[in-house]
Each structure stands twice: as structure tokens, then as C-alpha cells.
Amino acid sequence: MAVLLRRLGHFVGNVIEGLGYIAAFAGHIVAVTVRPPLRWREFLDELFKVGVLSILIICVSGLAVGMVLGLQGYNTLVRFGAENSLGAVVGLSLIREMGPVLTALLTTGRAGSSVTAEIGTMKATEQLDGLRMMAVDPIDYVIRPKAWAMAVAMPLLSALFIVMGIGGGYVVGVGLMGIDSGTFLSSLENAVDFHDDVAGSILKSVIFGTLVGLISTYRGYTATPTSVGVSAATTSTVVLASVSVLIFDYFITALWGV
Amino acid sequence: MNASSTRDFLVGLFVLAGLLALAYLSFSIGGLQYKGTGGLTVFATFDQIAGLKPKAPVEIAGVKVGQVTAIRLDDTYRARVDLNLDKDLRLPVDSSAAIVTAGILGDRYIQLSPGAEGSFLQPGEQIAYTESALVMERLIGKFLVNVGDKPTQQDGETPKEIP
Amino acid sequence: MAYGRRPVLRGVSCTFRPGAISVVLGGSGSGKSTILKLIGGLLRAQAGRVVVGRIDITRFKESQLYEVRRRLGMMFQNGALLDSLSVLENLAFPLREHSGLSRAEITARVHERLAAVGLEDVDDLMPRQLSGGMVKRVALARAMMQDPEILLVDEPFSGLDPLSTKLIEALLVRINRTLGMTMIVVSHHIPSTMRMAGHVVLLLPDGVVEGHPTALQRSEDVRVRRFLTEETDTSEQILAHTHEFEAGEHTPQRPGGA
């Protein structure tokens, strides 16, 4: 029993220590961000890798999710004779939850793991040390553009996901199920309010972007510099970031929301 | 460097697409007003608002001319509803406001009926004539009771035999 | 100095003379690379002092180290070139970051350095396209870009064929002779060491032996003799141990230095 308690105490201690490290890490990133040079070139390159290369998976997934929402939504609503509210159901689900959360999870898997692997490999091949010896802070040159790119790309990707999803729902509802086009759109427009829904959605995706950006770069930076270590770090990024996104999602929804 | 200018172009496209999507969601669907907070602000008091919510639309002849900005209780325990209407709208001083329902079970909104007077409401003034919301449950209740005890209820007295 | 639970460089004290090529010799795990990292500030000493050019850097913060590193150049074992940049960009990097030179001037300097290490027309190649010998030479050129006072070299001959080894050795010697640059080389290649070193620091499990290479070769010290012979007989030893291992007779011990 005592052993169990001690281990639990250890575990909690480790978690808090970890949080402390990651907070210090985040602080360091902010500190180097406000100092010149701007590293615009690197930021744009990273934005390309996180954003442009994710467009396909985000749009396809958005479309698919929207279509499923359309289908499931219709099947459920028609039982209450409320199928004309399909636009509202599809739109609100996507904007409030599906958009930010699924986009974050998909991006974690694709871009997040790739960032961790890249940084971890750079650590293993001494490139980070090489930078230090040339008097360049690796957190400034490598980490900062990647973290910021993730935070900026996330809301944009989320918006694309949502729009594709609404399109998918529209195709199913209006095209397949025969709901009137005007009804779908007006139900959608009437139900969605910028302040309650869209603003909350944008806030969520910005927070998720920051979270995933921080976690993926941190895990890469602190990876054990061997191939096993890098691979373990990559897996842990995906797990840690995904769980954090879901947990934060609850808290943001509870604190923001109606 | 050619490779990177293509990349930059694509990044630009991506950002543009994302921003357009955000704009569509915010303005077209979310109803965000970009005109700022100009507008004719008037208010009206009701006995009963029954489910009217802030941001509910205000219509004249079915056309949206503004929205409900705030709902409060005033000193006489009536509901005071603040409205923000189109800047250029000219509302005669004897106009009336009614709370109506979209369909039978739908959302509440405000319907304005313009009056005939020559002078118009100024910002901050009150719409004098109001019609409160019909509470559906009361109506149904009345109807049911009516149907049940038909003879007594109708005149309020027992029918007399005419000799 | 200790790695985790393994102490390294316990009670070690040595001085490197300016203007000379000093070679640090020692078996695996003796702490050779650690000395380089301590000088470069990549590792922090847990006890004792590290003094570079009369500046005590033992307690320096990262930001203070950057100033010191401007006077150092480090050639890493695997090059530590940034793998996302071309050779030209890799070499231009330190100058772009720290000097105010124009693009044209930087490019000119890069070509100068490349010529000095015997490379031409490699500007647009990526590090992964270079042969082992070329990587070492590019790494050397990069370490030289900012005209350092002290050159730190980590295992310059590792993984090279005899011809390339001679080439690198010649380059290092030429740089030292023409520029009078202080060099601290970590190696376990005895023949080259004997030829090029002005000073040798031998790290033994129980202490340090310093001296001129000829002095060392003539040393009466048992440990020194054993080390020198072990190193030269390495290949025979490996073979012998392998046979014993296969026959199940022998728990493998690390042969000296391999």
C-alpha cells in the first residue's frame, strides 16, 4: 500500500515536473519570438508543411464527416418530423465540435508526428548541437517557426474542414434526401450565431493549434537521440496531443459555452 | 529560387482559402455584422415576452430590419426589450410591436407594424403600442376547458328554461 | 563529470596550448568527446572548471556561451550539417546569421573555403548526396567560416578509407601551419595522431598522461604502452575475441578502443 502511494506520488511529481518543463519551453519560444530576426522564410516553409500538405486530408475528411452527419442527422430528425432543421444540426455539430476537434486530431497524426520525428532526428544527428556551436539557438531557428506555423494553420484548416463538411451535409440532405435547398441554408443561418458558435470554434482551434505545436516540438526536442528514442517520441506526441486536445475541448466548451 | 516561390504561392492560396472559409462562416452563416453598431435604437415594453431571446430578428412585413439587443425588467415589472434597427429606417411614432412565433412551435421574433403618423421615432424613444406574446400552453388550456363544459362556460350562467 | 550514473573524466586536468594541434586519445567511453563538448559549452561540468582563452565558462548561461562560441569552430563526427539545406546554404549559414556581409560576399567566401578543402561544384548538392569524405570536408569548411581561434574536431577520421584519412590529415595540418590555429582533435587513430600532434592527452581509466607524441611512444609507463599497442593491434584482438565468443568460452569484453 505504501509502495503504491509512493509510486503515485512519484507519478504526480513527474507530471507536474513535466508541466513545468513544457511551460519553461513555451516561455523560451515566446522569448525568442519577440527578438529579431523574424525567420519569416522558415515560418513560411513550415506553414507549407503543416498547412498546404494537410489540405487534402482535411478536405476529404471534412466532406466525409459532413456527409455522415447529413445522413445520420436526417435519419434521426425525420422521426420527429424535424428534418427541415438538418442544416442547423449539421452546421452546429461541425462548427462547435467536429471541426476544431477532428481537425486537431488529424493534424496531430499527420503534421505533429512529422515535426517530432524531424526535430528528434536533428537531435540524434547532432544538428541541434551544430547550431548551438554556430551560436544559433535551435529553439529560435528550428522550434519557433514550427510551433507558430501549427498555431496559425489550425484555425484555417478547421474552417476549411467545416465548410467542406457543410457542403457534404448539403449534398446528402438536399441532393439525396430531398430537403429544400433554401430550408437547409436558412435553418443553418438562423441557428448559427457568430458569438456563441463561430467565435468559440475559432478560439478552440487556436488553442488546439498551440497545444499540438508545443507538444510536438517539445517531444522532438527532448527525444532520446537514437532511432528508438525518436520513434518513441513520435508515438508519444500523437498520444499526448490527442488526449490533451480532447480534455481541453471539454474545458473550453464548459467555460465558453452556452 | 523557384521551388520556394511555388511553395510560397501555395501557402498564400492556403491562407486565402482558410480566411475565406472563416469569413463565410462568420458573416454569411454566423450573421456577424460588419457595419458596426450604428443603427436606430428604440425600445418597447411588454407584459409577457415568453421565450423571446436577444439577437432575435425584428421584421416589418416579413423583411428583417434589425434585431433584439437586450431584454430587461423595468421598474413596473414589465419586460423592456431594446431593439437595434437599420440606420435609415423611419418608424412612425404610432407604430406597434408584437411578439410572434415562427410557425406554431418555432422561435419568437418581433414584428413591427408601422403607423400612419407623420413624425418618426428618434433614437432612444419608446414604441408605445405593444402586443405581448401568446403563451401556447394557456391557449390550449383555455380551448380544452371550453370544449369540456360547453353549456356553463359559454355564457357564464346556467341556461334558463324559457317558459 | 558524469553521464547519469557513469562518471567520466573524474579528476582529470589538462591544458591545451594555443597554436598547437593537440590530440585527445583514449578508449571508448573515456570521455574524449566529453572534453570537446565541455569546451564548447554543450555540456556543463559538474565539478571543476573549464577555461577557454582565459575566460572561465564553467558557470556560463547559454546566452553568455554564444559570445564564446563565436571564437570557436566545431567539426562534428558526422558533420552535423543541416540536412534541409544545400552545401552552399550550410556554409553560408553562420555568415548569414552573424556577419553583416552581402549575399555576394558570402558566396565568395564560401567558394574560397570550399576550394581550401579541395571541393568544387558542390554548391547545390544536399548533404545526403555527399560521400563520407566530402561530408567531413564540408564540415571542416563550415567550422572555418567564421575564422575561429580554436578548432574543435571530433573524430575526423572515423569511417574513412585510408586515402581520405590522409587527405583530412593533410588539410588539418595545413590549416594549423598556415593560420597558426589552435586545434583540439579527438581521435583514436594512432598513426595520424603521432604524425600531426604537437601535444597528446591520453585519457586512461585511472588518470591522464600528457606529452609530446614522441615522448609518449618512448614512455616506460605500462598503461601507455598497453594503450598504444592495443590500439594498433585492435583488428587482431577483435578477431580473437570473436572466435572465443563463438566457442562460448568468453564473455566479450570491449577491445581497447574499437
Side-chain angles (χ1 to χ4, degrees):
Chain A
M1 187 58 204
V3 176
L4 207 63
L5 277 178
R6 201 175 334 132
R7 289 174 104 194
L8 188 64
H10 243 219
F11 175 72
V12 172
N14 280 344
V15 169
I16 297 185
E17 199 181 355
L19 284 177
Y21 283 138
I22 208 171
F25 185 73
H28 194 156
I29 299 180
V30 173
V32 294
T33 305
V34 298
R35 270 185 251 141
L38 262 114
R39 308 228 183 262
W40 197 241
R41 166 89 263 135
E42 286 80 26
F43 173 70
L44 288 178
D45 282 340
E46 293 305 321
L47 201 52
F48 177 82
K49 286 193 254 179
V50 174
V52 175
L53 294 181
S54 299
I55 288 188
L56 194 60
I57 187 176
I58 293 295
C59 289
V60 169
S61 306
L63 192 65
V65 169
M67 289 172 76
V68 167
L69 277 175
L71 214 48
Q72 292 282 33
Y74 185 86
N75 287 335
T76 311
L77 289 172
V78 86
R79 289 185 222 178
F80 304 98
E83 65 269 17
N84 286 338
S85 306
L86 187 63
V89 167
V90 168
L92 284 175
S93 314
L94 283 168
I95 293 176
R96 305 189 76 149
E97 289 303 319
M98 304 282 184
V101 174
L102 288 180
T103 305
L105 293 177
L106 288 168
T107 312
T108 301
R110 206 205 73 75
S113 59
S114 126
V115 161
T116 305
E118 194 179 332
I119 299 178
T121 312
M122 286 181 89
K123 185 176 183 187
T125 51
E126 295 186 302
Q127 287 177 58
L128 297 186
D129 277 342
L131 282 170
R132 288 193 190 98
M133 285 311 293
M134 292 191 282
V136 172
D137 187 354
I139 294 194
D140 184 14
Y141 182 73
V142 175
I143 308 277
R144 187 238 259 175
K146 289 179 158 56
W148 278 105
M150 186 71 80
V152 167
M154 197 65 86
L156 297 173
L157 288 171
S158 180
L160 287 172
F161 184 94
I162 295 172
V163 168
M164 291 303 288
I166 291 177
Y170 182 87
V171 161
V172 165
V174 175
L176 249 60
M177 299 303 178
I179 299 179
D180 172 55
S181 163
T183 310
F184 185 93
L185 291 172
S186 67
S187 148
L188 175 63
E189 284 170 29
N190 286 338
V192 173
D193 172 65
F194 177 79
H195 293 288
D196 292 337
D197 307 310
V198 181
S201 173
I202 296 177
L203 179 72
K204 273 192 194 179
S205 58
V206 169
I207 292 182
F208 292 161
T210 316
L211 213 54
V212 176
L214 258 183
I215 293 177
S216 60
T217 48
Y218 180 74
R219 293 308 284 125
Y221 189 71
T222 54
T224 317
T226 62
S227 2
V228 175
V230 172
S231 148
T234 309
T235 322
S236 112
T237 286
V238 176
V239 169
L240 199 59
S242 305
V243 170
S244 307
V245 161
L246 292 170
I247 293 181
F248 269 72
D249 181 42
Y250 172 73
F251 284 111
I252 302 175
T253 310
L255 292 171
W256 181 260
V258 164
Chain B
M1 293 239 257
N2 248 346
S4 76
S5 21
T6 329
R7 284 182 151 204
D8 290 350
F9 177 68
L10 290 175
V11 170
L13 271 187
F14 162 64
V15 173
L16 195 62
L19 290 175
L20 283 177
L22 277 177
Y24 174 62
L25 289 173
S26 309
F27 296 110
S28 173
I29 298 184
L32 185 63
Q33 310 292 355
Y34 43 3
K35 307 183 266 185
T37 45
L40 179 62
T41 42
V42 293
F43 70 97
T45 57
F46 299 87
D47 286 328
Q48 174 60 261
I49 57 160
L52 179 72
K53 292 201 283 276
K55 306 249 183 73
V58 178
E59 295 182 0
I60 296 181
V63 177
K64 181 171 175 180
V65 295
Q67 58 181 11
V68 173
T69 49
I71 301 177
R72 280 169 290 173
L73 213 51
D74 74 1
D75 303 330
T76 62
Y77 296 107
R78 282 168 62 93
R80 173 192 159 125
V81 178
D82 291 323
L83 309 173
N84 188 5
L85 309 172
D86 283 344
K87 242 194 330 252
D88 324 310
L89 184 68
R90 291 192 301 186
L91 210 52
V93 290
D94 60 338
S95 309
S96 67
I99 301 182
V100 292
T101 317
I104 295 191
L105 292 171
D107 291 326
R108 312 273 183 181
Y109 66 98
I110 301 233
Q111 191 175 71
L112 296 179
S113 307
E117 290 276 336
S119 55
F120 301 109
L121 285 171
Q122 295 304 309
E125 288 190 342
Q126 178 176 7
I127 296 177
Y129 305 102
T130 59
E131 203 178 299
S132 290
L134 290 171
V135 182
M136 189 44 88
E137 295 78 5
R138 290 243 185 95
L139 216 58
I140 295 178
K142 260 200 177 166
F143 182 65
L144 286 175
V145 176
N146 255 330
V147 169
D149 305 296
K150 200 153 166 245
T152 352
Q153 272 292 37
Q154 237 170 349
D155 325 321
E157 51 185 57
T158 8
K160 283 204 281 265
E161 300 282 358
I162 303 194
Chain C
M1 186 63 215
Y3 286 118
R5 293 199 208 103
R6 220 170 12 102
V8 156
L9 296 182
R10 216 194 324 222
V12 165
S13 216
C14 51
T15 314
F16 299 101
R17 283 188 234 117
I21 299 182
S22 308
V23 177
V24 179
L25 285 179
S28 303
S30 57
K32 316 193 286 291
S33 300
T34 310
I35 289 197
L36 278 188
K37 294 197 178 156
L38 283 170
I39 299 175
L42 294 173
L43 286 176
R44 183 157 300 152
Q46 291 167 329
R49 292 183 316 147
V50 179
V51 180
V52 174
R54 276 182 239 147
I55 303 178
D56 188 343
I57 66 168
T58 328
R59 300 266 167 270
F60 266 26
K61 287 193 306 238
E62 195 70 12
S63 42
Q64 293 166 295
L65 286 171
Y66 286 134
E67 270 314 301
V68 179
R69 288 181 186 146
R70 302 265 175 102
R71 301 155 54 197
L72 303 174
M74 184 151 174
M75 181 179 150
F76 288 84
Q77 189 171 355
N78 292 311
L81 300 175
L82 296 170
D83 50 19
S84 51
L85 301 180
S86 72
V87 168
L88 177 62
E89 288 170 322
N90 258 296
L91 291 177
F93 188 81
L95 293 181
R96 287 235 187 98
E97 286 291 318
H98 298 302
S99 76
L101 299 176
S102 73
R103 224 166 214 231
E105 286 173 325
I106 294 180
T107 315
R109 283 253 194 127
V110 167
H111 287 144
E112 238 178 73
R113 294 273 185 266
L114 281 174
V117 296
L119 286 172
E120 292 186 1
D121 282 336
V122 291
D123 285 12
D124 296 324
L125 290 180
M126 301 300 284
R128 61 175 173 275
Q129 296 173 293
L130 301 173
S131 74
M134 291 166 84
V135 168
K136 297 271 193 207
R137 284 188 275 166
V138 173
L140 181 56
R142 186 177 75 168
M144 302 282 297
M145 285 313 286
Q146 288 192 278
D147 299 315
E149 290 166 29
I150 304 174
L151 193 64
L152 303 169
V153 186
D154 192 2
E155 305 270 10
F157 311 116
S158 66
L160 292 185
D161 60 86
L163 196 57
S164 306
T165 306
K166 288 225 167 62
L167 181 56
I168 301 285
E169 186 192 319
L171 282 175
L172 289 174
V173 169
R174 171 144 54 92
I175 292 172
N176 171 255
R177 300 268 192 277
T178 48
L179 298 174
M181 184 177 297
T182 313
M183 287 184 184
I184 303 173
V185 180
V186 164
S187 177
H188 56 239
H189 196 266
I190 308 262
S192 295
T193 305
M194 293 304 155
R195 283 195 294 267
M196 69 178 191
H199 184 68
V200 172
V201 175
L202 174 57
L203 296 174
L204 294 166
D206 46 357
V208 175
V209 177
E210 292 186 72
H212 198 270
T214 17
L216 242 69
Q217 269 178 324
R218 290 196 222 115
S219 168
E220 300 287 320
D221 194 323
V222 173
R223 307 169 299 169
V224 176
R225 296 236 60 83
R226 198 186 313 142
F227 180 81
L228 291 177
T229 32
E230 271 194 356
E231 278 298 314
T232 5
D233 293 344
T234 296
S235 38
E236 298 179 35
Q237 285 232 310
I238 294 180
L239 245 45
H241 280 290
T242 321
H243 285 314
E244 288 169 13
F245 185 44
E246 281 169 356
E249 288 173 26
H250 195 60
T251 6
Q253 266 167 4
R254 276 229 221 88

